[in-house]
């Protein structure tokens, strides 16, 4: 996991969600609609705390954890800047696979919006989801982000020079079978795992969750900068975003979204 820490030490994750606002808006719309009216929420793999801050603003008590000490410090700074520190129970440096510092059945809901991207070994993915299950109360909700394998295949086909070693069909076919991706170019997106969409619900259900929803966080990723400029100039950008939010859970559109959000309930 040292490569993950190194990558996020130089990457602007807070800014990414500002640059790609549709993903945040879609996710927050559904998270907000499913959450209980109040409670204690864990945000595991929270990065700089973009979602945690929103949770705190809406009155939830939050425990934030991330693998990167830099991002945990940044989250603390953001909480102070926004006068939200009093809503945070803790800021912790922690590995999603081992959350021994957190009690069992502690949280009314839990977010895990980053770790599943970076855990390439299946047994470690199971460890992380088992920990998510353990710390969440029975009947509590979980929100888990995944990356789509089929979308990454087509992204590689579209921009092969940008996604080496997926710049030839032999490697792409291998990735299609295994789902693991390690960028050839130094400093680019770290080792990652991409799920087959049809495997996400069974995976989560096998670890003790009832599936409630699976949605595409950014089906609008298919739109180009030119497309967005057109709708902005027409003054209809908000209508487009509302349309994307409304269509996020359409199963026929999941494959065009780079990120997916699973919503489940602990049995």
């Amino acid at each position: 996991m040292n490569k993950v820490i190194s990558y996020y030490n130089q990457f602007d994750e807070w800014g990414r969600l500002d640059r790609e606002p549709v993903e945040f808006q879609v996710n927050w719309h559904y998270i907000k609609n499913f959450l209980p009216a109040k409670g204690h929420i864990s945000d595991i793999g929270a990065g700089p705390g973009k979602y945690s801050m929103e949770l705190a603003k809406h009155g939830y008590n939050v425990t934030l954890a991330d693998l990167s000490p830099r991002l945990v410090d940044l989250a603390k700074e953001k909480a102070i800047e926004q006068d939200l520190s009093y809503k945070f129970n803790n800021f912790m440096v922690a590995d999603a696979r081992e959350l021994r510092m957190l009690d069992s059945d502690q949280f009314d809901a839990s977010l895990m919006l980053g770790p599943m991207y970076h855990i390439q070994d299946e047994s470690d993915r199971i460890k992380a989801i088992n920990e998510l299950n353990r710390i969440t109360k029975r009947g509590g909700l979980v929100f888990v982000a995944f990356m789509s394998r089929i979308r990454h295949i087509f992204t590689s086909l579209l921009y092969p020079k940008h996604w080496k070693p997926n710049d030839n069909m032999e490697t792409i076919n291998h990735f299609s079978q295994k789902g693991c991706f390690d960028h050839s170019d130094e400093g680019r997106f770290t080792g990652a795992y991409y799920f087959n969409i049809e495997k996400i619900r069974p995976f989560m259900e096998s670890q003790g969750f009832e599936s409630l929803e699976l949605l595409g966080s950014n089906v609008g990723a298919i739109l180009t900068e030119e497309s967005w400029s057109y709708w902005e100039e027409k003054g209809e950008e908000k209508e487009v975003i509302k349309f994307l939010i409304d269509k996020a859970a359409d199963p026929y559109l999941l494959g065009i979204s780079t990120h997916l959000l699973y919503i489940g309930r602990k049995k």
Side-chain angles (χ1 to χ4, degrees):
M1 284 294 170
N2 288 335
K3 288 185 177 180
V4 176
I5 295 172
S6 296
Y7 176 78
Y8 283 105
N9 279 342
Q10 52 83 37
F11 183 75
D12 180 15
E13 177 64 12
W14 185 280
R16 181 187 76 82
L17 289 171
D18 285 339
R19 294 188 300 273
E20 302 174 15
V22 176
E23 178 185 333
F24 179 80
Q25 290 182 59
V26 170
N27 280 349
W28 178 247
H29 172 85
Y30 285 91
I31 290 170
K32 180 179 63 177
N33 285 352
F34 274 88
L35 279 176
K38 60 182 180 179
H40 187 186
I41 315 296
S42 67
D43 191 357
I44 309 300
K50 187 86 170 182
Y51 291 94
S52 288
M53 301 306 147
E54 203 66 31
L55 288 164
K57 288 176 188 176
H58 282 76
Y60 297 97
N61 296 313
V62 183
T63 291
L64 180 150
D66 194 81
L67 187 65
S68 165
R70 172 184 169 270
L71 293 185
V72 172
D73 286 342
L74 180 57
K76 290 178 185 177
E77 293 173 12
K78 293 291 185 182
I80 292 170
E81 286 174 10
Q82 300 183 36
D83 194 25
L84 294 170
S85 296
Y86 70 101
K87 296 302 296 181
F88 284 83
N89 291 55
N90 210 338
F91 297 87
M92 301 183 304
V93 176
D95 188 320
R97 299 168 296 179
E98 178 51 72
L99 300 172
R100 68 180 70 184
M101 69 293 295
L102 296 175
D103 293 336
S104 299
D105 304 310
Q106 184 176 349
F107 299 102
D108 299 287
S110 298
L111 279 62
M112 189 174 275
L113 303 183
M116 287 296 103
Y117 304 165
H118 299 295
I119 303 176
Q120 293 184 313
D121 183 78
E122 182 178 14
S123 64
D124 283 340
R125 291 194 294 274
I126 291 172
K127 285 180 183 178
I129 296 302
N130 281 341
E131 283 291 80
L132 186 71
N133 184 301
R134 181 183 65 78
I135 65 174
T136 306
K137 293 178 181 178
R138 186 175 297 276
L141 295 170
V142 297
F143 304 86
V144 185
F146 297 87
M147 292 196 301
S148 164
R149 189 178 304 185
I150 190 63
R151 170 67 204 218
H152 191 58
I153 289 170
F154 277 93
T155 300
S156 299
L157 291 170
L158 278 167
Y159 309 106
K161 294 180 181 179
H162 194 68
W163 290 102
K164 299 176 183 178
N166 280 5
D167 57 351
N168 64 85
M169 285 310 302
E170 180 181 357
T171 305
I172 288 174
N173 282 323
H174 180 76
F175 169 77
S176 176
Q177 296 299 315
K178 302 298 182 182
C180 290
F181 179 79
D182 294 282
H183 212 296
S184 296
D185 295 336
E186 191 69 27
R188 288 295 308 283
F189 189 61
T190 185
Y193 183 78
Y194 294 75
F195 264 78
N196 283 322
I197 295 170
E198 70 275 12
K199 301 290 187 181
I200 294 173
R201 288 177 184 263
F203 171 71
M204 294 299 296
E205 289 164 5
S206 70
Q207 305 309 315
F209 295 100
E210 173 194 359
S211 296
L212 301 178
E213 191 65 270
L214 181 63
L215 56 100
S217 301
N218 53 0
V219 294
I222 196 172
L223 300 176
T224 64
E225 289 185 15
E226 183 181 355
S227 302
W228 280 112
S229 294
Y230 173 85
W231 293 112
E232 287 171 6
E233 290 169 7
K234 276 187 74 74
E236 295 188 43
E237 182 186 13
K238 289 183 179 179
E239 286 81 0
V240 172
I241 292 173
K242 182 181 183 304
F243 177 82
L244 295 175
I245 290 172
D246 291 342
K247 293 296 183 182
D250 186 335
Y252 296 105
L253 298 181
L254 294 180
I256 66 173
S257 182
T258 56
H259 295 75
L260 305 162
L261 180 66
Y262 172 92
I263 304 173
R265 179 182 289 114
K266 179 178 174 179
K267 293 181 181 177

